[in-house]
Amino acid sequence: MGADLTIDWRQAAASAMEWWRDAGVDVLVGDEPFDWLAPEPADQVVALPPPSHAPAAAPAAPAPAIPGETLPGTMAELLAWRIGASAPEAGWNTALVPATGPADADLMILIDCPERDAADSLLGGAAGRLFDRMLAAIGRSRADVHLASLCAARPAAGRLPRDMEARLAEIARHHVGLAAPKRLLVMGDAASRAILSANVIEARGRLHPFNHKADTQSQVVASFHPRMLLERPVLKAEAWRDLQMLMGGSK
């Protein structure tokens, strides 16, 4: 019957529920009609206790936030940790994809996650081929840029889980801080929100400073993800202007 594929049904169900919630579904419906206005049968009516004059109990205080795990302090340690057993995505029962290219490259590029048609690499498939052409157009290649992703594996729903966005953004900012590139290109809304706290449409058209602990600064440009350019080719002209700004943004 082929390879024995193990599916994390809890992860898949959570991703499906998140998708429906984003789509606006807030009530479950069945195949059979149900009269929501019909009175309850007498034998199912539950008697309420008499009102009490005792003061209502105060609502429980929210549980204190649990601080995130301390992140590795060197680039080598971080890269190993991101694909190890302690990575946030380690429980997804899928291979974790490492960052590629020189860790000290002057240009770093951040995306959201691996592609659906090439989940074993960063920016593979059709989007990856377009990405390679974009790099060639500015005289660069994968061999001389540092390519990283917010998610080290592709989520079941194809986008970052909401409950992990803050942690993955924290890790991405730490990654950029360790790499300290002169220029950073964030491609797509998820990467733009993680670094710039704004979607691509809001962040495009200008350089953004990103400060590092070592008293240095990266210049950040936001642009469209290659998969968006495949879906809407009319945006390629805008993406080209972004790339020109990126290459002219740091001397």
Side-chain angles (χ1 to χ4, degrees), residues 109-137:
I109 300 174
L110 183 68
I111 59 171
D112 53 357
C113 62
E115 294 302 296
R116 183 183 303 277
D117 55 348
D120 59 346
S121 63
L122 293 185
L123 273 177
R129 291 189 290 273
L130 176 57
F131 174 68
D132 290 337
R133 294 197 295 271
M134 294 170 69
L135 287 180

Side-chain angles (χ1 to χ4, degrees), residues 153-178:
R154 184 174 180 82
R159 55 184 173 177
L160 274 63
R162 280 188 176 182
D163 60 346
M164 294 180 65
E165 279 188 357
R167 179 59 170 167
L168 292 175
E170 177 192 10
I171 295 169
R173 291 191 294 269
H174 183 67
H175 192 153
V176 174
L178 291 178

